[in-house]
Amino acid sequence: MDLARIGHPRSPRDKENNQSLHIFSVPTDAHYQATGFVQTVVTRCGNNRYKLAFQVEGETVALIAQRKITSMTSNYRIFDALRGGENSKLSKKAGHYIGKLRRDKVSCYTLYDSSREKRQLAAFVYDIPSLVSQVKEGQPPRKMQAVIPKCSPQQGGEGQHSNRLMEHLHNGTWQHHNLVAVQTRPPSWNEGQYQLNFQGRVSTPSVKNMQLENQMGQTFLQFGKVDDARFHLDFKAPFTALSAFAAALTQFDL
């Protein structure tokens, strides 16, 4: 597949629809490209900084994440680059600060918005094998579970009233609170390596490569390595650009 052409929309209308997709909004069919996803690229920029860009006739940076180095736990501050600009100062006092991804425990992450209530937008939990197991069996594929609202708080819906996402994920009560749970798809073992079908969007093997699916096997998010600094991140509803970006950031933190 011609990698230079990956990410181009199917028509001029696709370009218009993707540019109008807000980072908090749940995408609709009108936003999806030929692969059936909203296509983005995540760039590892160095200095603990990451950028997400929509791939629509080029790359428009929409989100920037900066890891807070002094934090006792991992804490990524996230900014709206469409509002503040790609090269603007990254400060919580800035008008384009929109939320943070925080590691609550060794393998648990919660995404919060920037409101006074600090509403929870997503929760992610990794199943990390013991060090002894990794020494004996090697590093297995990463296993992650996540829970997100069926609709974003900015679009309304009962999901905005739950600020206990991690609790619902651990207890299995997410179904009663208008939430969606997903987990990593187990890769197949072929010719001495683990494999997933990314429809040509991922070209480099990596432990970070993943797909998130529901209990019926429907894929809602896929993330994988293209080169040392670039990763393709594709998502569909109920993920938003913000919650999808947060899912990718957790992979860089392990």
Side-chain angles (χ1 to χ4, degrees):
M1 178 176 291
D2 184 359
L3 293 179
R5 295 182 60 83
I6 285 179
H8 284 235
R10 290 168 289 181
S11 68
R13 183 180 178 184
D14 287 338
K15 177 183 178 182
E16 179 181 348
N17 286 330
N18 277 275
Q19 288 179 334
S20 66
L21 176 62
H22 193 272
I23 54 180
F24 286 105
S25 301
V26 175
T28 65
D29 289 345
H31 297 113
Y32 299 147
Q33 291 160 271
T35 57
F37 294 92
V38 175
Q39 295 181 178
T40 73
V41 61
V42 173
T43 305
R44 181 164 46 188
C45 306
N47 298 321
N48 293 295
R49 183 171 296 186
Y50 303 86
K51 296 180 180 180
L52 177 145
F54 290 111
Q55 291 186 296
V56 184
E57 291 192 354
E59 296 176 1
T60 303
V61 175
L63 293 168
I64 301 174
Q66 179 71 56
R67 185 178 181 185
K68 188 179 178 183
I69 303 174
T70 59
S71 178
M72 293 292 291
T73 62
S74 296
N75 190 338
Y76 292 87
R77 294 175 177 174
I78 305 176
F79 301 83
D80 182 353
L82 296 176
R83 187 196 314 171
E86 184 177 349
N87 300 312
S88 59
K89 183 178 179 180
L90 303 183
S91 167
K92 288 186 70 174
K93 296 181 180 180
H96 63 301
Y97 170 68
I98 57 174
K100 69 178 179 179
L101 175 70
R102 176 173 177 170
R103 186 175 70 184
D104 303 307
K105 297 179 181 179
V106 174
S107 58
C108 301
Y109 300 82
T110 303
L111 174 65
Y112 301 88
D113 70 10
S114 60
S115 67
R116 182 176 299 177
E117 297 80 13
K118 295 183 179 179
R119 292 175 295 191
Q120 296 180 5
L121 306 180
F124 310 91
V125 177
Y126 281 89
D127 179 11
I128 299 179
S130 66
L131 182 59
V132 174
S133 175
Q134 293 185 53
V135 171
K136 288 183 177 180
E137 304 175 11
Q139 189 175 38
R142 293 174 177 174
K143 296 181 180 179
M144 184 241 277
Q145 292 180 298
V147 65
I148 55 178
K150 285 186 178 179
C151 54
S152 68
Q154 285 73 10
Q155 290 178 304
E158 296 179 8
Q160 64 180 304
H161 300 305
S162 178
N163 228 26
R164 299 182 298 168
L165 298 186
M166 193 67 69
E167 177 183 332
H168 293 315
L169 180 58
H170 282 305
N171 296 339
T173 55
W174 53 269
Q175 299 180 67
H176 309 300
H177 295 273
N178 203 31
L179 302 171
V180 176
V182 293
Q183 60 281 324
T184 46
R185 171 174 290 162
S188 60
W189 179 259
N190 185 35
E191 298 182 355
Q193 62 182 355
Y194 292 104
Q195 293 183 345
L196 289 166
N197 181 10
F198 290 96
Q199 304 179 62
R201 290 281 290 159
V202 176
S203 55
T204 304
S206 172
V207 69
K208 295 179 177 62
N209 296 350
M210 69 171 177
Q211 291 177 325
L212 296 181
E213 62 179 8
N214 64 5
Q215 293 177 321
M216 295 179 289
Q218 296 174 299
T219 302
F220 294 124
L221 180 147
Q222 60 181 26
F223 175 72
K225 188 174 183 179
V226 179
D227 59 37
D228 288 344
R230 290 166 60 87
F231 299 77
H232 281 160
L233 173 63
D234 303 340
F235 65 93
K236 62 175 61 175
F239 278 94
T240 64
L242 180 59
S243 59
F245 190 34
L249 291 173
T250 65
Q251 286 281 4
F252 293 114
D253 196 55
L254 297 177

